[in-house]
């Protein structure tokens, strides 16, 4: 059968991607080095003669599940005939022979299962996959094949990177395309799903392979396994895939970003895509309710609110700038140092105010915007030019200010209280 091609662990997932459980023999088991402290949890490397667990390979996360001794008996029923000590012993025995498969890795054809319990070499074991996790990965990977096949045939770009984890799915391509093109390709993938096309798995001989046009991200030594979605893609791949495209269910491009001269596509398929869109829909419905409008009018309403806020902030800033200007005009001309406080004033107005202050007063002049709770951003100036560096250094040493700049003006932030800031400006003198 296909899984017997080549040496190493027999790969049952090549025979049947839908296999949920299997039986095997332990070829070896040894304890791995413990991470962290020596008292950390023990982990074991278990090698079987055959497995249905897909390892981390080809950019895809490994399968999860359990391994247990094949001769495990059900836990003894709790009854009056069994003492508490016997009950505990029975539970411990059952627990000791059942292990969580925490990771699965492959090297030179040998598949290693990382478990939290050891097994005797030569023992017969029974494996059970977390099939919900496996099937989700099958949906994502199969959808990626169709999308990448379309990108290759229509745009001429290669898939140069693929990452399928439990939290995200990304594909990297050798060229760029925009959101409009991505939406067209997304629709075409969903059309392929609706057609419910059967996939094919082939292990062509070398002479036959030479006449087949197929995609491959890497050079492959030895037997090549091809996955075909007729009319859409032919690709060398090691992972399990759905038997028919209809099982993918749904495909959605989440986002695009420029990446290493090409484009990175974030996508979801199947249940993951449904859950993502359901959450997005819930947000949209709640937003529409909050804004007292229909879902399709939410963007329009938000844009209108954005414009209203902008105009309000603009008017408020103008009023604050005028109030600050009036306060500056009311200051006695003989006052050397000036320290003023505002809240919510824009940076340009703050710099303009400091410029006006340094034109009127010979000492250190500053405007602090914010409050004692969240801190202040400030602009500091001095008509004497380089003297502003002296004040900046004092503020850093005495107030913990952070910032800098070139004379005659510096900028930064400080978390000190207004009272402490004012005291420094009262006490320091321009020499």
């Amino acid at each position: 059968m296909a899984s017997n091609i080549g040496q190493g662990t027999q790969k049952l997932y090549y025979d049947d991607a839908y296999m949920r459980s299997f039986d095997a023999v332990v070829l070896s088991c040894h304890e791995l080095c413990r991470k962290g402290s020596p008292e950390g949890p023990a982990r074991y490397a278990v090698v079987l003669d055959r497995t249905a667990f897909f390892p981390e390979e080809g950019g895809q996360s490994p399968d999860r599940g359990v391994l247990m001794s094949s001769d495990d008996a059900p836990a003894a029923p709790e009854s009056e005939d069994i003492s508490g000590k016997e009950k505990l012993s029975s539970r411990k025995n059952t627990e000791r022979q059942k292990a969580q498969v925490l990771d699965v890795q492959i090297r030179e054809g040998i598949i290693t299962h990382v478990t939290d319990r050891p097994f005797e070499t030569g023992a017969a074991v029974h494996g059970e996959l977390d099939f919900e996790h496996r099937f989700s990965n099958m949906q994502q990977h199969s959808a990626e094949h169709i999308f990448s096949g379309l990108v290759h045939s229509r745009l001429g770009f290669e898939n140069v990177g693929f990452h399928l984890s439990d939290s995200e799915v990304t594909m990297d391509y050798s060229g760029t395309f925009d959101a409009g093109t991505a939406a067209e390709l997304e629709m075409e993938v969903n059309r392929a799903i609706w057609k419910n096309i059967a996939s094919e798995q082939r292990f062509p001989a070398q002479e036959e392979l030479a006449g087949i046009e197929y995609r491959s991200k890497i050079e492959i030594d030895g037997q090549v396994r091809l996955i075909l979605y007729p009319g859409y893609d032919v690709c060398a791949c090691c992972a399990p895939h759905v038997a028919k495209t209809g099982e993918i269910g749904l495909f959605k491009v989440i986002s695009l970003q420029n990446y290493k001269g090409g484009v990175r596509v974030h996508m979801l398929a199947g249940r993951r895509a449904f859950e993502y869109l359901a959450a997005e829909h819930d947000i949209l419905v709640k937003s529409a309710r909050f804004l007292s409008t229909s879902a399709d009018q939410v963007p329009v309403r938000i844009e209108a609110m954005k414009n209203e806020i902008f105009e309000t902030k603009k008017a408020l800033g103008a009023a604050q700038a005028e109030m600050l200007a009036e306060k500056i005009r009311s200051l006695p001309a003989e006052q050397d140092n000036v320290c003023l406080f505002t809240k919510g004033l824009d940076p340009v107005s703050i710099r303009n105010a400091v410029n006006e202050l340094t034109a009127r007063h010979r000492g250190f002049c500053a405007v602090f915007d914010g409050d004692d709770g969240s801190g202040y951003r400030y602009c500091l100036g001095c008509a004497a030019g380089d003297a502003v560096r002296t004040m900046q250094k004092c503020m850093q040493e005495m107030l913990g200010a952070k910032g800098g700049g070139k004379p005659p003006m510096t900028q930064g932030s400080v978390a000190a209280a207004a009272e402490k800031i004012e005291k420094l400006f009262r006490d320091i003198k321009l020499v």
Side-chain angles (χ1 to χ4, degrees):
M1 300 180 69
S3 58
N4 293 325
I5 294 175
Q7 301 299 314
T9 309
Q10 185 181 3
K11 301 170 183 176
L12 299 176
Y13 49 82
Y14 280 0
D15 297 333
D16 182 4
Y18 296 82
M19 184 178 290
R20 298 166 183 256
S21 63
F22 66 98
D23 295 303
V25 174
V26 177
L27 299 182
S28 67
C29 177
H30 67 269
E31 186 174 355
L32 297 170
C33 294
R34 302 193 185 195
K35 294 182 179 180
S37 66
E39 293 76 27
R43 296 291 182 261
Y44 302 88
V46 180
V47 176
L48 308 176
D49 65 333
R50 61 207 298 263
T51 185
F53 283 95
F54 180 74
E56 183 178 20
E57 191 175 17
Q60 178 172 316
S61 62
D63 284 332
R64 303 189 301 232
V66 297
L67 285 177
M68 62 191 80
S69 298
S70 291
D71 56 356
D72 272 354
E78 295 188 4
S79 68
E80 296 300 324
D81 298 330
I82 301 177
S83 68
K85 189 174 183 180
E86 289 172 330
K87 290 178 186 177
L88 181 60
S89 175
S90 175
R91 288 174 187 160
K92 283 184 176 179
N93 184 57
T94 301
E95 181 184 12
R96 186 164 54 247
Q97 297 183 51
K98 184 174 183 179
Q100 294 293 325
V101 177
L102 306 171
D103 190 15
V104 189
Q105 295 293 321
I106 185 169
R107 185 175 182 181
E108 297 180 353
I110 304 300
I111 296 176
T112 300
H113 308 74
V114 178
T115 66
D116 60 355
R117 298 286 190 276
F119 291 92
E120 294 288 337
T121 298
V125 294
H126 179 74
E128 292 185 356
L129 275 67
D130 177 347
F131 191 73
E132 184 174 313
H133 177 264
R134 153 67 75 81
F135 186 67
S136 175
N137 279 358
M138 288 164 62
Q139 289 179 313
Q140 314 309 312
H141 207 144
S142 299
E144 178 272 323
H145 272 242
I146 299 172
F147 187 87
S148 294
L150 289 167
V151 169
H152 180 72
S153 62
R154 297 192 178 189
L155 305 177
F157 301 147
E158 301 294 337
N159 180 342
V160 294
F162 174 61
H163 177 66
L164 167 53
S165 71
D166 296 342
S167 59
E168 67 174 0
V169 186
T170 61
M171 301 152 333
D172 300 334
Y173 296 101
S174 59
T176 60
F177 50 88
D178 59 20
T181 300
E184 292 173 6
L185 296 171
E186 174 188 87
M187 177 56 72
E188 199 59 36
V189 173
N190 282 294
R191 288 195 182 100
I193 292 171
W194 303 331
K195 291 178 182 177
N196 201 25
I197 300 165
S199 66
E200 300 176 24
Q201 173 184 251
R202 293 183 190 172
F203 293 87
Q206 286 298 322
E207 56 272 18
E208 181 187 358
L209 188 65
I212 300 175
E213 184 177 346
Y214 65 95
R215 295 188 304 108
S216 180
K217 290 193 292 291
I218 59 173
E219 290 293 329
I220 301 173
D221 294 327
Q223 179 64 59
V224 173
R225 174 180 181 251
L226 296 180
I227 298 297
L228 294 81
Y229 286 96
Y232 292 92
D233 190 43
V234 181
C235 184
C237 188
C238 58
H241 297 77
V242 296
K244 290 190 174 184
T245 59
E247 296 175 63
I248 297 171
L250 175 65
F251 175 77
K252 181 63 184 172
V253 172
I254 305 302
S255 65
L256 304 178
Q257 67 181 100
N258 293 330
Y259 184 75
K260 294 184 177 180
V263 64
R264 170 167 286 182
V265 179
H266 294 254
M267 58 144 279
L268 290 174
R271 179 174 177 175
R272 291 201 205 181
F274 172 80
E275 290 175 344
Y276 175 86
L277 292 174
E280 293 277 290
H281 177 71
D282 187 51
I283 292 170
L284 180 60
V285 169
K286 289 179 179 178
S287 298
R289 190 178 301 124
F290 176 78
L291 297 170
S292 300
T293 189
S294 58
D296 63 316
Q297 290 298 305
V298 167
V300 176
R301 186 71 186 97
I302 290 176
E303 184 65 25
M305 290 178 65
K306 181 180 176 181
N307 292 334
E308 290 172 11
I309 292 171
F310 175 80
E311 292 299 326
T312 301
K313 289 178 69 175
K314 184 178 178 182
L316 179 60
Q320 288 178 317
E322 179 55 35
M323 289 176 62
L324 184 60
E326 180 61 32
K327 190 170 185 180
I328 290 171
R329 289 191 289 270
S330 69
L331 291 170
E334 64 274 12
Q335 183 175 337
D336 288 340
N337 298 337
V338 178
C339 172
L340 300 178
F341 291 85
T342 65
K343 187 170 184 179
L345 195 61
D346 65 276
V348 174
S349 296
I350 292 174
R351 288 194 297 271
N352 290 340
V354 172
N355 283 330
E356 186 173 351
L357 285 169
T358 56
R360 291 168 173 265
H361 302 271
R362 63 179 295 273
F364 301 113
C365 303
V367 174
F368 291 81
D369 189 85
D371 55 53
D372 284 5
S374 57
Y376 298 90
R377 54 188 175 89
Y378 67 85
C379 184
L380 169 69
C382 182
D386 282 349
V388 75
R389 295 183 187 274
T390 303
M391 186 57 172
Q392 177 67 34
K393 187 175 180 181
C394 286
M395 289 176 59
Q396 290 172 343
E397 294 175 352
M398 302 180 68
L399 303 176
K402 297 178 182 179
K406 297 180 180 180
M409 186 179 290
T410 62
Q411 299 179 86
S413 62
V414 62
E419 183 179 353
K420 193 171 182 180
I421 295 171
E422 289 174 326
K423 183 177 186 306
L424 175 61
F425 274 78
R426 285 195 304 269
D427 294 345
I428 198 165
K429 302 296 181 183
L430 178 64
V431 179

